[in-house]
Amino acid sequence: MSTVIYPSPIFGPINSRRLGISLGINLMPADGKVCTFDCIYCECGFNKQRIPMQKRPTRSEVASALEKKLKEMHLQNVHPDVLTFAGNGEPTAHPDFYDIICDTIELRNQYCPEAKISVLSNSTFINKEKVREALLLVDNNILKMDTVDPAYIQRVDRPTQKSYDISNIIDDLKLFNGHVIIQSMFLKGKTIDGVDVDNTGEIYVKPWLDAVLSIQPQEVMIYTIDRETPDQKLEKATPEELDAIRDRVIAAGIPCTASY
């Protein structure tokens, strides 16, 4: 398995399929993964195989490292399109997430005012008011909803919280009043145990689309696997399949992009 663990607290910049030149901000330890999902397609690997020994970076460590990198890029006349909270797990799990977002906005305004701030989250902490307040401050509030089928979620996304309930997640997504981008993974193939994980068929797409329409996000991003996955029998959804799903979202009046 050659999955990726990212440096912390800053990594990149990298070229993102969806976001452009992205400077990554990783609020998890640099030597492992801390996540409330254990997705079978996660490029960082399975949780149990990536248990960290180090601690999360502190708020001050994040701000100091980010300022140092932005100064360096500014001197090189390289300007990020986006500052992206991502990396080795769920960024909103950091206890100082709100304050870190505020620090990042201040540094962005000082060094690269045209850059957007994005957060890639699996949505598990959006029931917390302070997390929602922070996400309402960023430009791209990108929240995961791969499917609305509970059995599929347990099979593929594998939330670690026993209380996880997709119906509650959908209700919380509505609280953003449109200031949210829904990100959804579509894939095919089977698990290591031989269980089918194809979610491109109508039995999954129609209920998912109904949920998207009820949330009324500003945009939807659909994508498929692009890097090596810990469960190595997974397969990419085809461009034709993604395009068909994308076109249905657009036809319903919501902007949508597909990444292959």
Short mmCIF file of all heavy atoms in Angstrom, two decimals, residues 123 137 139 151 172 196:
data_model
loop_
_atom_site.label_atom_id
_atom_site.label_comp_id
_atom_site.label_asym_id
_atom_site.label_seq_id
_atom_site.Cartn_x
_atom_site.Cartn_y
_atom_site.Cartn_z
N SER A 123 -18.30 16.39 7.01
CA SER A 123 -19.59 16.87 7.54
C SER A 123 -19.94 16.33 8.93
O SER A 123 -21.01 16.66 9.45
CB SER A 123 -20.76 16.52 6.59
OG SER A 123 -20.53 16.96 5.28
N LEU A 137 -17.62 31.36 7.31
CA LEU A 137 -16.65 32.43 7.05
C LEU A 137 -15.77 32.16 5.84
O LEU A 137 -15.18 33.08 5.28
CB LEU A 137 -15.74 32.62 8.28
CG LEU A 137 -16.39 33.12 9.56
CD1 LEU A 137 -15.36 33.12 10.70
CD2 LEU A 137 -16.99 34.50 9.37
N ASP A 139 -14.63 30.80 1.94
CA ASP A 139 -15.18 30.98 0.59
C ASP A 139 -15.81 29.71 0.07
O ASP A 139 -16.91 29.74 -0.50
CB ASP A 139 -14.06 31.43 -0.37
CG ASP A 139 -13.39 32.72 0.07
OD1 ASP A 139 -14.04 33.77 -0.07
OD2 ASP A 139 -12.26 32.66 0.58
N ALA A 151 -26.72 1.87 4.46
CA ALA A 151 -25.92 0.65 4.34
C ALA A 151 -24.67 0.91 3.51
O ALA A 151 -23.58 0.42 3.84
CB ALA A 151 -26.75 -0.47 3.72
N ASP A 172 -28.52 19.28 8.84
CA ASP A 172 -27.48 20.24 9.20
C ASP A 172 -26.93 20.96 7.97
O ASP A 172 -26.59 22.15 8.03
CB ASP A 172 -26.34 19.55 9.95
CG ASP A 172 -26.75 19.08 11.34
OD1 ASP A 172 -27.67 19.69 11.92
OD2 ASP A 172 -26.15 18.11 11.84
N ASP A 196 -20.05 -5.37 -3.67
CA ASP A 196 -20.19 -4.37 -4.72
C ASP A 196 -20.34 -2.97 -4.11
O ASP A 196 -21.11 -2.76 -3.18
CB ASP A 196 -21.44 -4.69 -5.55
CG ASP A 196 -21.52 -3.89 -6.83
OD1 ASP A 196 -20.78 -2.90 -6.97
OD2 ASP A 196 -22.34 -4.23 -7.70
#
